[in-house]
Amino acid sequence: MKIGELATTTGTSVRLLRYYEEQGLLESHRLDSGHRRYADDAPVVVRRIRALLDAGLPTRVIRDLQPCIRQDGTVAVCKLETLQEHLRGLDDRIAALSETRTSLAGLISATRAIEPAGAA
């Protein structure tokens, strides 16, 4: 499969496909002409990459996970701790953002209590 076909099939830009390849997430073979050719399973690989990116995982972690990804797209238990670490990191960021939101909402409330709406 050529890169343009893979892009169309997966709804992913050619530029992103090249980036995935640079990051070691996607493999291609070069023809004598220099054009990339991808294996038949490349659309499945790209969709998995997109799903893992959507789950908040950076490309370096996805590269590390790839040997442990099963055919159904789940990750083998050998990398469960890695996934749990990233989930804890997300939980920590959500908690920090919630605290920040509470502080900002308090500032807005205090400002509204002092100045009537529309006065600036």
Side-chain angles (χ1 to χ4, degrees), residues 53-118:
L53 287 168
D54 288 346
L57 298 173
T59 57
R60 66 177 168 73
V61 172
I62 294 171
R63 184 176 49 248
D64 186 46
L65 288 176
Q66 280 187 320
C68 294
I69 298 175
R70 298 184 186 109
Q71 290 292 2
D72 66 358
T74 61
V75 178
V77 74
C78 66
K79 292 296 179 181
L80 181 60
E81 182 60 32
T82 300
L83 296 176
Q84 289 172 326
E85 279 178 38
H86 282 277
L87 182 59
R88 283 190 295 272
L90 283 173
D91 288 341
D92 291 347
R93 288 192 299 191
I94 290 168
L97 283 171
S98 181
E99 288 176 21
T100 301
R101 186 191 185 289
T102 299
S103 294
L104 182 57
L107 180 60
I108 291 169
S109 292
T111 301
R112 284 185 177 156
I114 294 170
E115 292 190 34

Short mmCIF file of all heavy atoms in Angstrom, two decimals, residues 53-118:
data_model
loop_
_atom_site.label_atom_id
_atom_site.label_comp_id
_atom_site.label_asym_id
_atom_site.label_seq_id
_atom_site.Cartn_x
_atom_site.Cartn_y
_atom_site.Cartn_z
N LEU A 53 -2.69 7.38 21.09
CA LEU A 53 -2.48 8.84 21.21
C LEU A 53 -3.70 9.50 21.84
O LEU A 53 -3.57 10.38 22.69
CB LEU A 53 -2.17 9.45 19.84
CG LEU A 53 -0.79 9.16 19.27
CD1 LEU A 53 -0.72 9.57 17.79
CD2 LEU A 53 0.30 9.85 20.07
N ASP A 54 -4.89 9.07 21.42
CA ASP A 54 -6.13 9.62 21.98
C ASP A 54 -6.25 9.31 23.48
O ASP A 54 -6.91 10.05 24.21
CB ASP A 54 -7.36 9.07 21.25
CG ASP A 54 -7.53 9.65 19.86
OD1 ASP A 54 -6.86 10.66 19.53
OD2 ASP A 54 -8.32 9.06 19.07
N ALA A 55 -5.59 8.22 23.91
CA ALA A 55 -5.60 7.86 25.33
C ALA A 55 -4.56 8.65 26.11
O ALA A 55 -4.39 8.44 27.31
CB ALA A 55 -5.35 6.36 25.49
N GLY A 56 -3.88 9.57 25.42
CA GLY A 56 -2.93 10.44 26.11
C GLY A 56 -1.52 9.92 26.20
O GLY A 56 -0.70 10.49 26.93
N LEU A 57 -1.22 8.84 25.51
CA LEU A 57 0.12 8.27 25.59
C LEU A 57 1.05 8.94 24.59
O LEU A 57 0.68 9.14 23.44
CB LEU A 57 0.08 6.76 25.31
CG LEU A 57 -0.76 5.96 26.30
CD1 LEU A 57 -0.87 4.52 25.82
CD2 LEU A 57 -0.16 6.02 27.69
N PRO A 58 2.26 9.28 25.01
CA PRO A 58 3.23 9.87 24.08
C PRO A 58 3.80 8.80 23.15
O PRO A 58 3.75 7.60 23.45
CB PRO A 58 4.32 10.44 25.00
CG PRO A 58 4.18 9.71 26.28
CD PRO A 58 2.76 9.25 26.39
N THR A 59 4.36 9.24 22.04
CA THR A 59 4.87 8.30 21.04
C THR A 59 5.96 7.39 21.60
O THR A 59 6.03 6.22 21.23
CB THR A 59 5.39 9.03 19.79
OG1 THR A 59 6.40 9.97 20.17
CG2 THR A 59 4.26 9.72 19.05
N ARG A 60 6.80 7.89 22.49
CA ARG A 60 7.87 7.04 23.05
C ARG A 60 7.28 5.87 23.84
O ARG A 60 7.81 4.76 23.81
CB ARG A 60 8.83 7.86 23.90
CG ARG A 60 8.23 8.44 25.14
CD ARG A 60 9.25 9.19 26.02
NE ARG A 60 8.57 9.96 27.03
CZ ARG A 60 7.98 9.44 28.10
NH1 ARG A 60 8.00 8.15 28.29
NH2 ARG A 60 7.36 10.21 28.98
N VAL A 61 6.16 6.10 24.53
CA VAL A 61 5.51 5.03 25.28
C VAL A 61 4.81 4.08 24.31
O VAL A 61 4.86 2.86 24.50
CB VAL A 61 4.52 5.61 26.32
CG1 VAL A 61 3.68 4.52 26.96
CG2 VAL A 61 5.28 6.40 27.37
N ILE A 62 4.18 4.62 23.29
CA ILE A 62 3.51 3.76 22.30
C ILE A 62 4.53 2.84 21.65
O ILE A 62 4.28 1.64 21.48
CB ILE A 62 2.78 4.62 21.25
CG1 ILE A 62 1.63 5.39 21.91
CG2 ILE A 62 2.27 3.75 20.10
CD1 ILE A 62 0.99 6.42 21.02
N ARG A 63 5.69 3.37 21.31
CA ARG A 63 6.76 2.54 20.71
C ARG A 63 7.13 1.40 21.65
O ARG A 63 7.30 0.26 21.24
CB ARG A 63 7.96 3.41 20.38
CG ARG A 63 9.08 2.69 19.66
CD ARG A 63 10.23 3.60 19.26
NE ARG A 63 10.70 4.45 20.35
CZ ARG A 63 10.57 5.77 20.41
NH1 ARG A 63 9.97 6.42 19.43
NH2 ARG A 63 11.03 6.45 21.43
N ASP A 64 7.20 1.71 22.95
CA ASP A 64 7.54 0.71 23.95
C ASP A 64 6.42 -0.33 24.12
O ASP A 64 6.69 -1.50 24.40
CB ASP A 64 7.82 1.41 25.28
CG ASP A 64 8.33 0.47 26.34
OD1 ASP A 64 9.22 -0.36 26.04
OD2 ASP A 64 7.84 0.56 27.50
N LEU A 65 5.18 0.10 23.94
CA LEU A 65 4.03 -0.80 24.10
C LEU A 65 3.83 -1.74 22.91
O LEU A 65 3.28 -2.83 23.07
CB LEU A 65 2.75 0.00 24.28
CG LEU A 65 2.53 0.74 25.58
CD1 LEU A 65 1.23 1.54 25.50
CD2 LEU A 65 2.50 -0.20 26.77
N GLN A 66 4.25 -1.33 21.74
CA GLN A 66 3.90 -2.06 20.52
C GLN A 66 4.18 -3.57 20.56
O GLN A 66 3.34 -4.33 20.11
CB GLN A 66 4.54 -1.43 19.29
CG GLN A 66 3.75 -0.22 18.84
CD GLN A 66 4.23 0.35 17.53
OE1 GLN A 66 5.41 0.43 17.26
NE2 GLN A 66 3.29 0.75 16.71
N PRO A 67 5.30 -4.01 21.12
CA PRO A 67 5.50 -5.47 21.15
C PRO A 67 4.48 -6.20 22.01
O PRO A 67 4.31 -7.41 21.87
CB PRO A 67 6.91 -5.63 21.74
CG PRO A 67 7.57 -4.31 21.56
CD PRO A 67 6.48 -3.28 21.58
N CYS A 68 3.80 -5.49 22.89
CA CYS A 68 2.85 -6.11 23.81
C CYS A 68 1.39 -5.89 23.41
O CYS A 68 0.49 -6.19 24.18
CB CYS A 68 3.09 -5.59 25.22
SG CYS A 68 4.68 -6.07 25.89
N ILE A 69 1.16 -5.32 22.23
CA ILE A 69 -0.22 -5.10 21.79
C ILE A 69 -0.72 -6.36 21.08
O ILE A 69 -0.10 -6.86 20.15
CB ILE A 69 -0.32 -3.87 20.87
CG1 ILE A 69 0.12 -2.62 21.64
CG2 ILE A 69 -1.74 -3.72 20.34
CD1 ILE A 69 0.16 -1.37 20.79
N ARG A 70 -1.85 -6.84 21.56
CA ARG A 70 -2.46 -8.04 20.98
C ARG A 70 -3.22 -7.69 19.70
O ARG A 70 -3.46 -6.53 19.41
CB ARG A 70 -3.43 -8.66 21.99
CG ARG A 70 -2.77 -9.11 23.26
CD ARG A 70 -3.83 -9.79 24.14
NE ARG A 70 -3.29 -10.11 25.43
CZ ARG A 70 -3.62 -9.48 26.56
NH1 ARG A 70 -4.49 -8.51 26.56
NH2 ARG A 70 -3.08 -9.84 27.70
N GLN A 71 -3.62 -8.71 18.97
CA GLN A 71 -4.36 -8.52 17.72
C GLN A 71 -5.65 -7.73 17.93
O GLN A 71 -6.05 -6.97 17.05
CB GLN A 71 -4.70 -9.88 17.08
CG GLN A 71 -3.51 -10.62 16.53
CD GLN A 71 -2.91 -9.93 15.33
OE1 GLN A 71 -3.34 -8.87 14.89
NE2 GLN A 71 -1.87 -10.53 14.76
N ASP A 72 -6.28 -7.91 19.09
CA ASP A 72 -7.54 -7.20 19.34
C ASP A 72 -7.33 -5.76 19.80
O ASP A 72 -8.28 -5.05 20.08
CB ASP A 72 -8.40 -7.97 20.34
CG ASP A 72 -7.80 -8.02 21.74
OD1 ASP A 72 -6.68 -7.50 21.95
OD2 ASP A 72 -8.45 -8.61 22.63
N GLY A 73 -6.06 -5.32 19.90
CA GLY A 73 -5.76 -3.95 20.28
C GLY A 73 -5.55 -3.73 21.76
O GLY A 73 -5.15 -2.65 22.17
N THR A 74 -5.80 -4.76 22.57
CA THR A 74 -5.54 -4.63 23.99
C THR A 74 -4.04 -4.80 24.25
O THR A 74 -3.31 -5.33 23.42
CB THR A 74 -6.33 -5.66 24.82
OG1 THR A 74 -5.94 -6.98 24.41
CG2 THR A 74 -7.84 -5.47 24.63
N VAL A 75 -3.62 -4.36 25.41
CA VAL A 75 -2.20 -4.44 25.77
C VAL A 75 -2.01 -5.60 26.74
O VAL A 75 -2.77 -5.75 27.70
CB VAL A 75 -1.73 -3.11 26.42
CG1 VAL A 75 -0.28 -3.19 26.84
CG2 VAL A 75 -1.94 -1.96 25.44
N ALA A 76 -0.98 -6.39 26.49
CA ALA A 76 -0.68 -7.53 27.36
C ALA A 76 -0.30 -7.04 28.75
O ALA A 76 0.17 -5.91 28.93
CB ALA A 76 0.43 -8.37 26.75
N VAL A 77 -0.47 -7.90 29.72
CA VAL A 77 -0.23 -7.55 31.12
C VAL A 77 1.21 -7.11 31.36
O VAL A 77 1.48 -6.39 32.32
CB VAL A 77 -0.64 -8.73 32.04
CG1 VAL A 77 0.36 -9.86 31.96
CG2 VAL A 77 -0.84 -8.26 33.46
N CYS A 78 2.13 -7.46 30.47
CA CYS A 78 3.54 -7.07 30.65
C CYS A 78 3.71 -5.55 30.67
O CYS A 78 4.71 -5.05 31.19
CB CYS A 78 4.42 -7.70 29.57
SG CYS A 78 4.10 -7.11 27.89
N LYS A 79 2.75 -4.80 30.16
CA LYS A 79 2.84 -3.33 30.14
C LYS A 79 1.72 -2.67 30.94
O LYS A 79 1.50 -1.48 30.83
CB LYS A 79 2.82 -2.82 28.70
CG LYS A 79 4.05 -3.19 27.92
CD LYS A 79 5.28 -2.53 28.52
CE LYS A 79 6.52 -2.89 27.75
NZ LYS A 79 7.72 -2.29 28.31
N LEU A 80 1.05 -3.46 31.76
CA LEU A 80 -0.05 -2.92 32.55
C LEU A 80 0.43 -1.81 33.48
O LEU A 80 -0.23 -0.77 33.62
CB LEU A 80 -0.72 -4.03 33.35
CG LEU A 80 -1.91 -3.63 34.22
CD1 LEU A 80 -3.02 -3.02 33.36
CD2 LEU A 80 -2.42 -4.82 35.00
N GLU A 81 1.59 -1.97 34.10
CA GLU A 81 2.11 -0.96 35.02
C GLU A 81 2.34 0.37 34.29
O GLU A 81 2.06 1.44 34.83
CB GLU A 81 3.41 -1.43 35.68
CG GLU A 81 3.98 -0.44 36.68
CD GLU A 81 3.05 -0.10 37.84
OE1 GLU A 81 2.26 -0.96 38.28
OE2 GLU A 81 3.11 1.05 38.31
N THR A 82 2.81 0.30 33.05
CA THR A 82 3.02 1.51 32.26
C THR A 82 1.71 2.26 32.06
O THR A 82 1.64 3.48 32.23
CB THR A 82 3.65 1.17 30.89
OG1 THR A 82 4.90 0.52 31.11
CG2 THR A 82 3.84 2.39 30.03
N LEU A 83 0.67 1.52 31.71
CA LEU A 83 -0.65 2.14 31.52
C LEU A 83 -1.17 2.72 32.83
O LEU A 83 -1.74 3.81 32.85
CB LEU A 83 -1.63 1.12 30.94
CG LEU A 83 -1.30 0.59 29.54
CD1 LEU A 83 -2.31 -0.48 29.14
CD2 LEU A 83 -1.27 1.71 28.53
N GLN A 84 -0.97 1.99 33.92
CA GLN A 84 -1.44 2.47 35.22
C GLN A 84 -0.70 3.74 35.63
O GLN A 84 -1.30 4.65 36.20
CB GLN A 84 -1.28 1.38 36.27
CG GLN A 84 -2.26 0.24 36.08
CD GLN A 84 -2.01 -0.94 36.99
OE1 GLN A 84 -0.88 -1.26 37.32
NE2 GLN A 84 -3.08 -1.60 37.40
N GLU A 85 0.60 3.83 35.34
CA GLU A 85 1.36 5.04 35.64
C GLU A 85 0.79 6.24 34.90
O GLU A 85 0.65 7.33 35.47
CB GLU A 85 2.82 4.87 35.20
CG GLU A 85 3.69 4.11 36.14
CD GLU A 85 5.10 3.97 35.58
OE1 GLU A 85 5.61 4.93 34.96
OE2 GLU A 85 5.67 2.89 35.76
N HIS A 86 0.45 6.05 33.64
CA HIS A 86 -0.10 7.16 32.86
C HIS A 86 -1.49 7.54 33.35
O HIS A 86 -1.84 8.73 33.35
CB HIS A 86 -0.08 6.84 31.37
CG HIS A 86 1.28 7.02 30.80
ND1 HIS A 86 1.78 8.24 30.40
CD2 HIS A 86 2.29 6.14 30.61
CE1 HIS A 86 3.01 8.10 29.98
NE2 HIS A 86 3.35 6.84 30.10
N LEU A 87 -2.26 6.57 33.79
CA LEU A 87 -3.57 6.88 34.35
C LEU A 87 -3.42 7.68 35.64
O LEU A 87 -4.14 8.67 35.85
CB LEU A 87 -4.36 5.59 34.61
CG LEU A 87 -5.78 5.78 35.15
CD1 LEU A 87 -6.62 6.62 34.20
CD2 LEU A 87 -6.42 4.42 35.39
N ARG A 88 -2.48 7.30 36.48
CA ARG A 88 -2.24 8.07 37.71
C ARG A 88 -1.80 9.50 37.37
O ARG A 88 -2.24 10.45 38.01
CB ARG A 88 -1.17 7.38 38.58
CG ARG A 88 -1.70 6.17 39.34
CD ARG A 88 -0.70 5.67 40.37
NE ARG A 88 0.53 5.15 39.79
CZ ARG A 88 0.72 3.89 39.39
NH1 ARG A 88 -0.26 3.01 39.52
NH2 ARG A 88 1.88 3.50 38.88
N GLY A 89 -0.96 9.63 36.35
CA GLY A 89 -0.54 10.97 35.92
C GLY A 89 -1.72 11.81 35.46
O GLY A 89 -1.80 13.01 35.78
N LEU A 90 -2.63 11.20 34.71
CA LEU A 90 -3.83 11.92 34.28
C LEU A 90 -4.69 12.32 35.47
O LEU A 90 -5.20 13.44 35.54
CB LEU A 90 -4.65 11.07 33.31
CG LEU A 90 -4.13 10.97 31.88
CD1 LEU A 90 -4.94 9.95 31.09
CD2 LEU A 90 -4.18 12.32 31.21
N ASP A 91 -4.85 11.39 36.41
CA ASP A 91 -5.63 11.70 37.61
C ASP A 91 -5.02 12.87 38.37
O ASP A 91 -5.74 13.76 38.85
CB ASP A 91 -5.73 10.47 38.53
CG ASP A 91 -6.65 9.40 37.97
OD1 ASP A 91 -7.48 9.71 37.09
OD2 ASP A 91 -6.53 8.23 38.41
N ASP A 92 -3.69 12.90 38.48
CA ASP A 92 -3.02 14.00 39.17
C ASP A 92 -3.25 15.32 38.44
O ASP A 92 -3.50 16.35 39.07
CB ASP A 92 -1.51 13.73 39.27
CG ASP A 92 -1.17 12.60 40.23
OD1 ASP A 92 -2.06 12.17 41.01
OD2 ASP A 92 -0.02 12.11 40.17
N ARG A 93 -3.17 15.30 37.11
CA ARG A 93 -3.39 16.53 36.35
C ARG A 93 -4.84 17.01 36.46
O ARG A 93 -5.10 18.21 36.55
CB ARG A 93 -3.00 16.34 34.88
CG ARG A 93 -1.50 16.26 34.71
CD ARG A 93 -1.09 16.34 33.28
NE ARG A 93 -1.67 15.23 32.54
CZ ARG A 93 -1.34 14.90 31.30
NH1 ARG A 93 -0.45 15.58 30.64
NH2 ARG A 93 -1.91 13.88 30.69
N ILE A 94 -5.77 16.06 36.45
CA ILE A 94 -7.19 16.42 36.60
C ILE A 94 -7.42 17.06 37.96
O ILE A 94 -8.11 18.08 38.07
CB ILE A 94 -8.10 15.18 36.40
CG1 ILE A 94 -8.09 14.77 34.92
CG2 ILE A 94 -9.53 15.46 36.89
CD1 ILE A 94 -8.72 13.41 34.66
N ALA A 95 -6.83 16.49 39.01
CA ALA A 95 -6.98 17.06 40.36
C ALA A 95 -6.39 18.47 40.41
O ALA A 95 -7.00 19.38 40.97
CB ALA A 95 -6.31 16.15 41.38
N ALA A 96 -5.22 18.65 39.80
CA ALA A 96 -4.59 19.98 39.80
C ALA A 96 -5.44 20.98 39.03
O ALA A 96 -5.61 22.12 39.47
CB ALA A 96 -3.18 19.89 39.21
N LEU A 97 -5.97 20.56 37.89
CA LEU A 97 -6.84 21.45 37.12
C LEU A 97 -8.12 21.79 37.88
O LEU A 97 -8.61 22.92 37.82
CB LEU A 97 -7.18 20.83 35.76
CG LEU A 97 -6.09 20.90 34.71
CD1 LEU A 97 -6.47 20.06 33.49
CD2 LEU A 97 -5.84 22.34 34.29
N SER A 98 -8.65 20.83 38.60
CA SER A 98 -9.85 21.08 39.39
C SER A 98 -9.58 22.12 40.47
O SER A 98 -10.40 23.02 40.70
CB SER A 98 -10.33 19.77 40.01
OG SER A 98 -11.50 19.99 40.76
N GLU A 99 -8.42 22.01 41.12
CA GLU A 99 -8.04 23.01 42.13
C GLU A 99 -7.87 24.39 41.48
O GLU A 99 -8.31 25.40 42.04
CB GLU A 99 -6.75 22.60 42.82
CG GLU A 99 -6.91 21.43 43.76
CD GLU A 99 -5.59 20.98 44.37
OE1 GLU A 99 -4.62 21.77 44.39
OE2 GLU A 99 -5.53 19.83 44.82
N THR A 100 -7.23 24.42 40.32
CA THR A 100 -7.04 25.68 39.61
C THR A 100 -8.38 26.28 39.24
O THR A 100 -8.61 27.49 39.39
CB THR A 100 -6.18 25.46 38.35
OG1 THR A 100 -4.93 24.91 38.75
CG2 THR A 100 -5.97 26.74 37.58
N ARG A 101 -9.30 25.45 38.77
CA ARG A 101 -10.64 25.93 38.40
C ARG A 101 -11.36 26.51 39.60
O ARG A 101 -12.00 27.56 39.52
CB ARG A 101 -11.45 24.80 37.78
CG ARG A 101 -12.79 25.29 37.25
CD ARG A 101 -13.72 24.16 36.89
NE ARG A 101 -14.92 24.67 36.30
CZ ARG A 101 -15.88 25.34 36.95
NH1 ARG A 101 -15.76 25.58 38.24
NH2 ARG A 101 -16.96 25.76 36.33
N THR A 102 -11.27 25.81 40.72
CA THR A 102 -11.92 26.30 41.95
C THR A 102 -11.36 27.66 42.35
O THR A 102 -12.11 28.57 42.71
CB THR A 102 -11.73 25.27 43.09
OG1 THR A 102 -12.34 24.04 42.69
CG2 THR A 102 -12.33 25.76 44.39
N SER A 103 -10.04 27.81 42.27
CA SER A 103 -9.41 29.10 42.60
C SER A 103 -9.88 30.20 41.66
O SER A 103 -10.19 31.32 42.10
CB SER A 103 -7.89 28.98 42.52
OG SER A 103 -7.41 28.12 43.52
N LEU A 104 -9.94 29.91 40.38
CA LEU A 104 -10.36 30.90 39.40
C LEU A 104 -11.83 31.26 39.60
O LEU A 104 -12.21 32.44 39.56
CB LEU A 104 -10.12 30.41 37.98
CG LEU A 104 -10.49 31.37 36.85
CD1 LEU A 104 -9.75 32.69 36.98
CD2 LEU A 104 -10.20 30.72 35.50
N ALA A 105 -12.66 30.26 39.85
CA ALA A 105 -14.08 30.54 40.09
C ALA A 105 -14.25 31.40 41.35
O ALA A 105 -15.09 32.32 41.38
CB ALA A 105 -14.86 29.23 40.23
N GLY A 106 -13.44 31.15 42.37
CA GLY A 106 -13.49 31.97 43.58
C GLY A 106 -13.08 33.41 43.31
O GLY A 106 -13.69 34.35 43.83
N LEU A 107 -12.07 33.59 42.49
CA LEU A 107 -11.62 34.93 42.12
C LEU A 107 -12.72 35.67 41.35
O LEU A 107 -12.99 36.84 41.61
CB LEU A 107 -10.34 34.84 41.28
CG LEU A 107 -9.73 36.15 40.81
CD1 LEU A 107 -9.34 37.02 42.00
CD2 LEU A 107 -8.52 35.87 39.94
N ILE A 108 -13.36 34.98 40.44
CA ILE A 108 -14.45 35.59 39.68
C ILE A 108 -15.60 35.98 40.61
O ILE A 108 -16.14 37.08 40.53
CB ILE A 108 -14.93 34.64 38.55
CG1 ILE A 108 -13.84 34.52 37.47
CG2 ILE A 108 -16.26 35.10 37.96
CD1 ILE A 108 -14.08 33.41 36.46
N SER A 109 -15.97 35.08 41.52
CA SER A 109 -17.05 35.38 42.46
C SER A 109 -16.72 36.57 43.34
O SER A 109 -17.56 37.44 43.57
CB SER A 109 -17.33 34.16 43.35
OG SER A 109 -17.87 33.12 42.59
N ALA A 110 -15.48 36.61 43.82
CA ALA A 110 -15.07 37.73 44.67
C ALA A 110 -15.09 39.04 43.89
O ALA A 110 -15.52 40.08 44.42
CB ALA A 110 -13.67 37.47 45.24
N THR A 111 -14.66 39.01 42.66
CA THR A 111 -14.66 40.21 41.81
C THR A 111 -16.08 40.67 41.55
O THR A 111 -16.38 41.87 41.63
CB THR A 111 -13.92 39.94 40.49
OG1 THR A 111 -12.58 39.53 40.79
CG2 THR A 111 -13.90 41.16 39.60
N ARG A 112 -16.98 39.76 41.25
CA ARG A 112 -18.38 40.13 41.00
C ARG A 112 -19.03 40.69 42.25
O ARG A 112 -19.90 41.56 42.17
CB ARG A 112 -19.16 38.90 40.50
CG ARG A 112 -18.86 38.56 39.07
CD ARG A 112 -19.75 37.44 38.61
NE ARG A 112 -19.49 37.18 37.19
CZ ARG A 112 -19.73 36.03 36.59
NH1 ARG A 112 -20.24 35.02 37.29
NH2 ARG A 112 -19.49 35.89 35.32
N ALA A 113 -18.65 40.19 43.42
CA ALA A 113 -19.23 40.68 44.66
C ALA A 113 -18.82 42.12 44.95
O ALA A 113 -19.59 42.89 45.54
CB ALA A 113 -18.83 39.77 45.82
N ILE A 114 -17.62 42.47 44.50
CA ILE A 114 -17.10 43.83 44.75
C ILE A 114 -17.59 44.81 43.70
O ILE A 114 -17.99 45.93 44.02
CB ILE A 114 -15.56 43.81 44.79
CG1 ILE A 114 -15.09 43.00 46.00
CG2 ILE A 114 -15.00 45.22 44.83
CD1 ILE A 114 -13.61 42.72 46.02
N GLU A 115 -17.59 44.38 42.43
CA GLU A 115 -17.99 45.29 41.34
C GLU A 115 -19.23 44.75 40.66
O GLU A 115 -19.29 43.58 40.32
CB GLU A 115 -16.86 45.39 40.32
CG GLU A 115 -15.64 46.11 40.84
CD GLU A 115 -14.66 46.42 39.74
OE1 GLU A 115 -15.08 46.69 38.61
OE2 GLU A 115 -13.47 46.38 40.03
N PRO A 116 -20.21 45.60 40.41
CA PRO A 116 -21.41 45.16 39.68
C PRO A 116 -21.03 44.74 38.25
O PRO A 116 -20.06 45.23 37.68
CB PRO A 116 -22.30 46.39 39.65
CG PRO A 116 -21.66 47.43 40.50
CD PRO A 116 -20.27 46.99 40.78
N ALA A 117 -21.81 43.84 37.70
CA ALA A 117 -21.57 43.38 36.32
C ALA A 117 -21.59 44.55 35.36
O ALA A 117 -22.43 45.45 35.46
CB ALA A 117 -22.61 42.35 35.92
N GLY A 118 -20.66 44.55 34.44
CA GLY A 118 -20.61 45.61 33.42
C GLY A 118 -19.73 46.76 33.81
O GLY A 118 -19.35 47.58 32.97
#
